[in-house]
Structures are given as C-alpha cells and as structure tokens.
C-alpha cells in the first residue's frame, strides 16, 4: 500500500522541516515554500495529494487563502482536505479560515501531538508516534 501523499506549503524553512518530520513516518511529505512552487508541484504529480497543509502568511503577494482557492478550482482538489496551519490566532481567525474553505485549522505554535491529531482526523488514518513505546 502506498503511503498517503501530503503537501505542506510553509515559507519558514525550519517550520516546514519540523512539520515534515512529524509526518514522514506515516506519509510521503512534500514541502513547498509558496503559492507558485506549490502549484508547480501539484501540476507535476500524477495524482492529487491526499492532504494539503497550508500556512496563511507565505511571505509573497499571494497567501494561503489564494492557494486554497486556486486548488479548489481544480476538480481533483475539490474534496482534498485542506488544513490551515497559521500564526494568525486571534479570536475569530479560526472561523474566518474555516469560512474561507479550509477543512480544519491549527494555530502556531503547535505541539506535535495536536498536529498529528489534526492530520489523523483529516485523513481518517492513525498517525504513528515513533516516540510511543509498544
């Protein structure tokens, strides 16, 4: 069975790497740093990603909401779960991003377990925690 494919769009290199490491035991993770590289990557893959984790502030003229809207116009991405993972964490921000079309919201900074749980909920498959003893 092929592992789920997750696209993380995060302009902060360290945060993107941290997110990748939190998920790389259960998925094939691709990290891109902006809207244009993310769209290029989506155009390159044969089948759609199973989940997209998108930062809101991407440091350029286009933000995560723009990327969400661009992806949602593609038939293959109409139903792909989209997680807003952002430092925009003022009262009302969660509701704002859910209303914009994201399926879930996670404020930064986050703890690994919260991030893994959000991904698990969105993908409906357990996220293995490599630090848990069996």
């Amino acid at each position: 069975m092929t592992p789920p494919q997750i696209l993380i769009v995060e302009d902060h290199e360290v945060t993107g790497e941290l997110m990748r490491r939190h998920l790389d035991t259960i998925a094939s993770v691709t990290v891109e740093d902006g809207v244009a590289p993310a769209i290029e990557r989506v155009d390159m893959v044969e089948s759609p990603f199973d989940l997209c984790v998108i930062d809101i502030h991407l440091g350029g003229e286009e933000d995560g909401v723009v990327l969400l809207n661009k992806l949602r116009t593609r038939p293959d991405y109409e139903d792909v779960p989209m997680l807003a993972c952002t430092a925009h964490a003022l009262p009302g921000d969660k509701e704002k991003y859910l209303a914009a079309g994201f399926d879930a919201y996670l404020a930064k900074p986050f703890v690994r377990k919260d991030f893994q749980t959000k991904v698990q909920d969105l993908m409906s498959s357990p996220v293995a925690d490599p630090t848990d003893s069996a």
Side-chain angles (χ1 to χ4, degrees):
M1 185 164 119
T2 43
Q5 304 290 312
I6 298 176
L7 174 64
I8 296 173
V9 185
E10 168 63 57
D11 67 326
H12 191 266
E13 185 177 345
V14 172
T15 303
E17 178 62 17
L18 178 70
M19 294 167 126
R20 186 190 64 72
R21 287 185 182 193
H22 287 339
L23 300 177
D24 68 359
T25 60
I26 56 97
S28 175
V29 180
T30 301
V31 180
E32 296 295 346
D33 66 358
V35 173
I39 293 296
E40 287 175 22
R41 179 65 63 171
V42 164
D43 288 340
M44 290 172 51
V45 296
E46 288 184 29
S47 59
F49 285 93
D50 298 299
L51 170 71
C52 296
V53 179
I54 303 172
D55 184 18
I56 298 300
H57 180 72
L58 293 171
E61 292 182 21
E62 297 180 309
D63 66 10
V65 176
V66 169
L67 176 58
L68 169 77
N69 291 327
K70 286 183 177 192
L71 291 173
R72 289 289 190 221
T73 64
R74 296 165 176 253
D76 288 350
Y77 282 86
E78 289 175 346
D79 298 320
V80 171
M82 305 279 176
L83 170 61
C85 190
T86 179
H88 292 246
L90 295 174
D93 282 344
K94 176 180 180 179
E95 294 76 15
K96 174 182 170 181
Y97 296 118
L98 293 176
F102 284 96
D103 298 290
Y105 168 92
L106 182 64
K108 294 179 193 172
F110 57 81
V111 295
R112 176 184 52 185
K113 195 66 173 173
D114 291 344
F115 181 58
Q116 291 174 329
T117 298
K118 284 288 183 187
V119 168
Q120 177 182 355
D121 290 348
L122 288 167
M123 296 187 60
S124 300
S125 64
V127 174
D129 185 344
T131 63
D132 286 345
S133 55

